[in-house]
Amino acid sequence: MTKKNGNVFAIGVMFLLFFMIAFVTNFAGSMGVIVKNQFGASNAMAQLGTLANFIAYACMGIPGGLILKRKGYKFTSLLAAAVGFVGVAIQFASGYAESFAVYVLGAFVAGFSMCLLNLVVNPMLNTLGGGGNRGNQLIQLGGSCNSVGGTIAPIFLGYMIGGQAATASVGDAAPAMITAMAIFALAFVIISLSAIPEPHMETAEEKAARKAGNTEKDPHGPLSFRHFVLGAIAIFFYVGVEVGIPNTANLYMSSLEGVGPAIAGTLVGFYWFLMMCGRLIGGAVGGKVSSKAMLTTVCLVALAFVFALMYIPESVQVTIPVIEAQVPLSMMFMFLCGLCTSVMWGAIFNLAAEGLGKYTPLASGIFMTLVCGGGILPFIQGFVADFVGYIGSYWVIVAGLVYMLYYALVGSKNVNTDIKVD
């Protein structure tokens, strides 16, 4: 009973960390509207904060995996909370310094924190669930907490900016950033007082052997598994798709007459809200439906939604009852995409991590390195938008979805079962 209660508390802490990841990460996407106005940035440069946030994953993924292996989940979580506080504080200071460079630096530092948090929560929840469908189920439920943070951030920031993108400044986002710093401080206290299991931390014998230089070189590693390598690439595309869909829609709708940042931010919030709903559904059925079937289905539906977004004319308008705003009908398919992207992360991670055993911590580090796609793909999409327009840039999203569909159908099979993992 004690172990069960301990696991429940540990799961609760992981869910809190999942919330923080989206709450802070989504600042960068929503800040694009501010950056375009205050610093006169292009569509591509408006995504530079998002790019900096996710490039940090490329820098920190593998070192973070080593920290996780040597210092454990609790130490890594505490470090992430402290670094996140500093990163948001730098972004907060950029409003007063009126410096684009300081803002980008803050987004980069915050990205280190997000990388470390992701390193902790995904393998921990997969382990606490015992892997397989149950592990995927816990990741999906944790992801619903992630979506709550993702829902709140753009709405909060949109109303801080107000109705006009032309007057937006970084200082308008100060209340949201203060809230984020308070969350990091609270999380640090909670984690420091919590007992976190350490299933993958190196043993005293392993540590002594490493320091003495007596460790035997393992001929294998996470990259020895084809399904993991292809899964890491799938995560690169997934995070880019997840972020690129709402970020570009936010810029597009904020530029429309009669819409503006507040309404655009609310509609982007609907996207993250539907992600939460999708993850709750995924968590409910995750114990019965395979990750492969789940990923295949949502990729196909997402492709249908994105094509609808691209080919329904802008002149076809619809009124949103809750906020009494008239927007292009195509944008309804933007936030419906949230139902599909909601379960992709958990399904891909579960498929890629299956059968890795002792290689899981280092695999998680490599996995997090490829999360940099969340910055690179939106930047590419912004660059494309500068030439062919916002809607035409969604071909970048189509390419990412097609690759993930390939991974679900073909690339996720473990063809390296002969490698010892215990």
Side-chain angles (χ1 to χ4, degrees):
M1 181 64 72
T2 302
K3 182 179 179 182
K4 183 178 179 181
N5 290 337
N7 281 353
V8 169
F9 188 79
I11 290 169
V13 173
M14 294 305 110
F15 284 0
L16 172 64
L17 297 183
F18 245 134
F19 172 90
M20 292 167 59
I21 291 168
F23 188 76
V24 175
T25 299
N26 279 16
F27 279 153
S30 300
M31 289 285 285
V33 176
I34 293 175
V35 168
K36 280 199 71 175
N37 170 64
Q38 187 170 357
F39 303 112
S42 65
N43 289 313
M45 293 300 287
Q47 300 296 334
L48 198 55
T50 300
L51 178 62
N53 190 277
F54 282 101
I55 284 296
Y57 282 80
C59 300
M60 195 63 189
I62 294 175
L66 292 173
I67 292 172
L68 180 62
K69 178 68 176 176
R70 295 176 183 178
K71 296 292 186 178
Y73 286 97
K74 184 169 184 176
F75 176 89
T76 307
S77 301
L78 289 171
L79 178 62
V83 172
F85 183 94
V86 172
V88 176
I90 294 173
Q91 289 177 285
F92 177 75
S94 73
Y96 297 95
E98 295 190 352
S99 170
F100 183 53
V102 173
Y103 160 70
V104 173
L105 174 63
F108 184 65
V109 173
F112 283 123
S113 173
M114 300 307 100
C115 177
L116 290 170
L117 289 176
N118 266 308
L119 276 167
V120 170
V121 298
N122 291 285
M124 174 60 80
L125 286 176
N126 200 41
T127 299
L128 290 171
N133 287 357
R134 173 63 176 164
N136 180 36
Q137 185 177 37
L138 275 185
I139 295 175
Q140 300 299 348
L141 290 172
S144 66
C145 297
N146 181 273
S147 296
V148 172
T151 301
I152 294 171
I155 296 175
F156 195 2
L157 207 55
Y159 278 92
M160 290 300 101
I161 296 170
Q164 296 296 322
T167 59
S169 67
V170 176
D172 294 332
M177 293 186 183
I178 292 171
T179 301
M181 287 188 283
I183 291 173
F184 274 120
L186 176 63
F188 188 92
V189 173
I190 292 174
I191 295 166
S192 65
L193 298 175
S194 304
I196 306 295
E198 300 290 354
H200 299 123
M201 188 174 176
E202 69 177 356
T203 64
E205 292 78 11
E206 288 174 332
K207 183 177 180 180
R210 174 171 56 82
K211 288 189 172 182
N214 295 329
T215 54
E216 293 184 11
K217 185 171 178 60
D218 193 332
H220 299 293
L223 297 179
S224 302
F225 296 83
R226 190 198 73 163
H227 75 289
F228 170 75
V229 173
L230 296 178
I233 296 171
I235 278 294
F236 176 91
F237 282 108
Y238 161 68
V239 186
V241 166
E242 179 200 70
V243 175
I245 289 172
N247 277 17
T248 300
N250 198 359
L251 291 171
Y252 167 62
M253 288 187 291
S254 294
S255 69
L256 296 177
E257 187 177 346
V259 181
I263 294 172
T266 300
L267 290 176
V268 169
F270 286 171
Y271 169 88
W272 295 103
F273 174 75
L274 286 180
M275 279 192 70
M276 178 187 70
C277 295
R279 282 168 171 165
L280 287 172
I281 295 169
V285 305
K288 301 175 182 177
V289 179
S290 73
S291 298
K292 180 176 180 177
M294 192 180 289
L295 184 59
T296 300
T297 301
V298 295
C299 283
L300 289 170
V301 176
L303 281 167
F305 285 160
V306 171
F307 282 127
L309 182 158
M310 294 172 66
Y311 287 105
I312 294 177
E314 183 182 307
S315 58
V316 181
Q317 302 276 310
V318 64
T319 300
I320 309 296
V322 179
I323 55 179
E324 295 299 324
Q326 196 171 55
V327 297
L329 176 63
S330 60
M331 290 297 100
M332 301 303 98
F333 292 93
M334 176 273 295
F335 60 73
L336 282 173
C337 285
L339 287 171
C340 302
T341 57
S342 62
V343 297
M344 289 177 178
W345 173 278
I348 294 171
F349 186 90
N350 184 259
L351 288 168
E354 198 68 26
L356 296 184
K358 65 181 180 180
Y359 300 112
T360 300
L362 290 179
S364 187
I366 297 170
F367 216 66
M368 289 310 112
T369 299
L370 273 295
V371 171
C372 65
I376 294 173
L377 252 67
F379 183 81
I380 293 172
Q381 189 178 1
F383 183 78
V384 172
D386 284 327
F387 290 93
V388 301
Y390 293 112
I391 301 302
S393 72
Y394 275 88
W395 279 109
V396 176
I397 301 299
V398 170
L401 289 170
V402 168
Y403 178 83
M404 285 187 281
L405 180 61
Y406 157 77
Y407 180 68
L409 294 173
V410 180
S412 59
K413 182 180 180 181
N414 184 358
V415 297
N416 304 106
T417 53
D418 56 319
I419 299 174
K420 284 191 65 176
V421 297
D422 49 17

